[in-house]
Amino acid sequence: MPLPNTIAIDGPAGSGKSSVSFAIAQQIGYLFVDTGAFYRAVTLLALEQHLDLHHSGQLITLVERTRLDMTPELADDDRQFTFLADERDITCDLHSAEVDHSVSIIAADQEVRAALLNPQRLLAARGRVIMAGRDIGTVILPDADLKIYIDATLDKRAERRYEQRLRNGEPADLDEIRESLRRRDEVDSSRTNAPLLRAPDAIYLDTTSLNLEESIAAAYQIIQNGKPSLNQP
Ligand code: DC
C-alpha cells in the first residue's frame, strides 16, 4: 500500500508530535514542516522590532515584508529544519523563553493566521510531507490523506520539556514549565481562530506511557496501515 502523500499531525505542546514527525519524515524521505515555527518566527521578529504584539496591522506588515522560508537542511545542533527570515537563519532563536512566552498571542491573531495560511499550504503542495501543528487536520489541510492527533497528559508533557531543557544545559524548573504549558494549552484551545482541536477523522495516539522510540513506532504503524493504535479512547 502506498504511504499517504500528505500527513497532518496535530496535538498540544510537548505531546511529542515534532520529534515523532521529524523522525518518521527522515525515515521515509518526507519533508517535515513544523508549522509552529511560522508563529514563532513572527513572534521573534516582532519582539526584535519592538512591535506591539496586539496590533494586527503591524504584524501583517511584518509578514508581508519578510520572506519566511523553511528548508529541510540540518546542522550540528539538533535542529529538525532550517528557518530563514530574509535569508537570515533564525532557527536557533525560535525556542527562546521570550518567544515561548509570547507566541500564543501571535498564534491567536486571525489576520496573522490568514497571512500564514498560503505559505503553509504551498509547502504541503510539494507532496510527501508530514506537517505538524494545531490546526493542520482541521484548517490548513482538511483533505490530508492521513490525520493523526498526538496527545499526552500535562504532567508527562511538562516532564519531557523539563528533561529536554536539562539535556540542552538550559535552566529548568518543572513547576514553571508545567504552568507555562497549561497556560499555552488554555490559550491555544480556547481561542476563537483555529483552536487546537482534534479533527473528527484524525486517529488518536496517546503517548503518555510511551517513550520516544515507542511513539515513533506507533505513529509509523498508523502511517503504514492507517489503523488506529491500541490506545484509541
Ligand atoms: O508547536 P509549537 O510549540 O512550536 O507552537 C508554537 C505556538 O504556535 C503555540 O502557541 C501554538 C501555535 N501554533 C498554532 O497556533 N498553529 C499551528 N499550526 C502551530 C502552532
Side-chain angles (χ1 to χ4, degrees), residues 161-217:
R161 276 285 147 97
Y162 174 74
E163 283 164 5
Q164 186 183 29
R165 293 248 167 100
L166 290 185
R167 267 200 309 276
N168 294 345
E170 294 165 15
D173 178 311
L174 184 58
D175 289 338
E176 204 176 283
I177 292 174
R178 189 187 298 108
E179 178 51 25
S180 155
L181 280 178
R182 195 198 56 72
R183 199 177 56 84
R184 275 173 56 196
D185 280 356
E186 200 174 283
V187 179
D188 291 340
S189 307
S190 62
R191 67 178 181 225
T192 349
N193 316 309
L196 169 63
L197 266 185
R198 177 181 162 191
D201 52 347
I203 293 173
Y204 185 79
L205 175 61
D206 183 353
T207 65
T208 305
S209 60
L210 306 180
N211 65 25
L212 180 58
E213 283 68 37
E214 293 165 338
S215 305
I216 294 167

Side-chain angles (χ1 to χ4, degrees), residues 17 35-36 39-40 103-104 107 113 133-135 184 188 191:
K17 63 180 186 307
T35 57
Y39 300 95
R40 290 178 175 276
V103 66
S104 286
R113 300 197 75 87
R134 303 291 192 289
D135 61 341
R184 275 173 56 196
D188 291 340
R191 67 178 181 225

Side-chain angles (χ1 to χ4, degrees), residues 100-113:
D100 270 357
H101 184 77
S102 300
V103 66
S104 286
I105 304 171
I106 302 297
D109 189 304
Q110 186 173 15
E111 292 180 47
V112 172
R113 300 197 75 87

Side-chain angles (χ1 to χ4, degrees), residues 37-38 41 68-71 81-85 88-91 94:
F38 282 90
L68 300 175
D69 195 17
M70 188 174 217
T71 79
F81 53 84
T82 290
F83 204 96
L84 303 170
R88 176 166 67 107
D89 184 352
I90 56 169
T91 320
L94 296 179

Side-chain angles (χ1 to χ4, degrees), residues 67-87:
R67 199 145 29 85
L68 300 175
D69 195 17
M70 188 174 217
T71 79
E73 246 145 80
L74 303 178
D76 248 355
D77 54 8
D78 278 357
R79 68 179 57 191
Q80 298 169 333
F81 53 84
T82 290
F83 204 96
L84 303 170
D86 286 333
E87 311 296 327

